[in-house]
mmCIF file of all heavy atoms in Angstrom:
data_model
loop_
_atom_site.group_PDB
_atom_site.id
_atom_site.type_symbol
_atom_site.label_atom_id
_atom_site.label_comp_id
_atom_site.label_asym_id
_atom_site.label_seq_id
_atom_site.Cartn_x
_atom_site.Cartn_y
_atom_site.Cartn_z
ATOM 1 N N PRO B 29 101.801 74.317 66.290
ATOM 2 C CA PRO B 29 101.659 72.839 66.563
ATOM 3 C C PRO B 29 100.915 72.146 65.459
ATOM 4 O O PRO B 29 100.250 72.800 64.635
ATOM 5 C CB PRO B 29 100.822 72.776 67.841
ATOM 6 C CG PRO B 29 100.800 74.159 68.350
ATOM 7 C CD PRO B 29 101.141 75.082 67.244
ATOM 8 N N ALA B 169 95.873 80.219 71.420
ATOM 9 C CA ALA B 169 95.475 78.761 71.247
ATOM 10 C C ALA B 169 96.415 78.038 70.292
ATOM 11 O O ALA B 169 96.732 76.902 70.561
ATOM 12 C CB ALA B 169 94.038 78.727 70.844
ATOM 13 N N GLN B 171 99.364 79.018 69.502
ATOM 14 C CA GLN B 171 100.734 79.305 69.951
ATOM 15 C C GLN B 171 101.436 80.312 69.024
ATOM 16 O O GLN B 171 102.639 80.371 69.047
ATOM 17 C CB GLN B 171 101.543 78.062 70.104
ATOM 18 C CG GLN B 171 100.977 77.167 71.207
ATOM 19 C CD GLN B 171 101.694 75.842 71.419
ATOM 20 O OE1 GLN B 171 102.810 75.685 71.008
ATOM 21 N NE2 GLN B 171 100.993 74.842 72.027
ATOM 22 N N GLU B 201 88.227 76.746 73.711
ATOM 23 C CA GLU B 201 88.072 75.390 73.151
ATOM 24 C C GLU B 201 89.052 75.053 72.068
ATOM 25 O O GLU B 201 89.487 73.915 71.954
ATOM 26 C CB GLU B 201 86.601 75.305 72.560
ATOM 27 C CG GLU B 201 85.496 75.273 73.612
ATOM 28 C CD GLU B 201 85.661 74.128 74.594
ATOM 29 O OE1 GLU B 201 86.026 73.025 74.162
ATOM 30 O OE2 GLU B 201 85.458 74.344 75.792
ATOM 31 N N VAL B 202 89.489 76.025 71.299
ATOM 32 C CA VAL B 202 90.506 75.810 70.282
ATOM 33 C C VAL B 202 91.794 75.362 70.991
ATOM 34 O O VAL B 202 92.464 74.387 70.599
ATOM 35 C CB VAL B 202 90.794 77.099 69.419
ATOM 36 C CG1 VAL B 202 91.974 76.840 68.447
ATOM 37 C CG2 VAL B 202 89.543 77.492 68.633
ATOM 38 N N SER B 203 92.090 76.012 72.043
ATOM 39 C CA SER B 203 93.281 75.755 72.816
ATOM 40 C C SER B 203 93.222 74.316 73.400
ATOM 41 O O SER B 203 94.207 73.563 73.280
ATOM 42 C CB SER B 203 93.451 76.734 73.930
ATOM 43 O OG SER B 203 94.595 76.485 74.646
ATOM 44 N N ARG B 204 92.068 73.982 73.947
ATOM 45 C CA ARG B 204 91.875 72.592 74.477
ATOM 46 C C ARG B 204 92.079 71.559 73.406
ATOM 47 O O ARG B 204 92.674 70.512 73.578
ATOM 48 C CB ARG B 204 90.528 72.527 75.176
ATOM 49 C CG ARG B 204 90.483 73.075 76.524
ATOM 50 C CD ARG B 204 89.083 73.373 76.987
ATOM 51 N NE ARG B 204 88.177 72.219 76.856
ATOM 52 C CZ ARG B 204 87.712 71.451 77.871
ATOM 53 N NH1 ARG B 204 88.059 71.752 79.047
ATOM 54 N NH2 ARG B 204 86.908 70.470 77.619
ATOM 55 N N ALA B 205 91.476 71.842 72.261
ATOM 56 C CA ALA B 205 91.512 70.828 71.179
ATOM 57 C C ALA B 205 92.939 70.648 70.670
ATOM 58 O O ALA B 205 93.366 69.497 70.458
ATOM 59 C CB ALA B 205 90.629 71.295 70.018
ATOM 60 N N ILE B 206 93.701 71.719 70.568
ATOM 61 C CA ILE B 206 95.069 71.585 70.049
ATOM 62 C C ILE B 206 95.946 70.898 71.129
ATOM 63 O O ILE B 206 96.769 70.028 70.786
ATOM 64 C CB ILE B 206 95.660 73.019 69.706
ATOM 65 C CG1 ILE B 206 94.925 73.597 68.486
ATOM 66 C CG2 ILE B 206 97.138 72.921 69.473
ATOM 67 C CD1 ILE B 206 95.216 74.998 68.212
ATOM 68 N N ASP B 207 95.732 71.206 72.368
ATOM 69 C CA ASP B 207 96.498 70.540 73.442
ATOM 70 C C ASP B 207 96.153 69.047 73.429
ATOM 71 O O ASP B 207 97.087 68.233 73.566
ATOM 72 C CB ASP B 207 96.088 71.121 74.808
ATOM 73 C CG ASP B 207 96.716 72.521 75.040
ATOM 74 O OD1 ASP B 207 97.584 72.834 74.254
ATOM 75 O OD2 ASP B 207 96.328 73.158 76.012
ATOM 76 N N ALA B 208 94.881 68.682 73.341
ATOM 77 C CA ALA B 208 94.516 67.266 73.342
ATOM 78 C C ALA B 208 95.118 66.566 72.143
ATOM 79 O O ALA B 208 95.577 65.402 72.311
ATOM 80 C CB ALA B 208 92.985 67.164 73.272
ATOM 81 N N LEU B 209 95.139 67.208 71.032
ATOM 82 C CA LEU B 209 95.748 66.584 69.840
ATOM 83 C C LEU B 209 97.258 66.373 70.016
ATOM 84 O O LEU B 209 97.728 65.356 69.702
ATOM 85 C CB LEU B 209 95.508 67.574 68.623
ATOM 86 C CG LEU B 209 95.465 67.008 67.274
ATOM 87 C CD1 LEU B 209 94.359 65.944 67.145
ATOM 88 C CD2 LEU B 209 95.282 68.126 66.252
ATOM 89 N N GLY B 210 97.899 67.390 70.569
ATOM 90 C CA GLY B 210 99.321 67.243 70.842
ATOM 91 C C GLY B 210 99.664 66.092 71.771
ATOM 92 O O GLY B 210 100.549 65.311 71.522
ATOM 93 N N LYS B 211 98.789 65.972 72.817
ATOM 94 C CA LYS B 211 98.992 64.862 73.779
ATOM 95 C C LYS B 211 98.743 63.488 73.111
ATOM 96 O O LYS B 211 99.475 62.510 73.344
ATOM 97 C CB LYS B 211 98.127 65.003 74.958
ATOM 98 C CG LYS B 211 98.615 66.097 75.951
ATOM 99 C CD LYS B 211 97.650 66.341 77.099
ATOM 100 C CE LYS B 211 98.180 67.551 77.867
ATOM 101 N NZ LYS B 211 97.108 68.137 78.649
ATOM 102 N N ALA B 212 97.701 63.453 72.302
ATOM 103 C CA ALA B 212 97.347 62.178 71.576
ATOM 104 C C ALA B 212 98.505 61.817 70.674
ATOM 105 O O ALA B 212 98.949 60.597 70.577
ATOM 106 C CB ALA B 212 96.103 62.336 70.766
ATOM 107 N N LEU B 213 99.046 62.778 69.961
ATOM 108 C CA LEU B 213 100.174 62.460 69.033
ATOM 109 C C LEU B 213 101.378 62.004 69.792
ATOM 110 O O LEU B 213 102.119 61.085 69.352
ATOM 111 C CB LEU B 213 100.501 63.662 68.164
ATOM 112 C CG LEU B 213 99.400 64.055 67.122
ATOM 113 C CD1 LEU B 213 99.736 65.390 66.494
ATOM 114 C CD2 LEU B 213 99.369 62.964 66.038
#
Side-chain angles (χ1 to χ4, degrees):
Chain B
Q171 298 177 20
E201 288 302 320
V202 175
S203 182
R204 278 162 53 108
I206 293 170
D207 285 351
L209 204 61
K211 283 175 187 157
L213 288 172

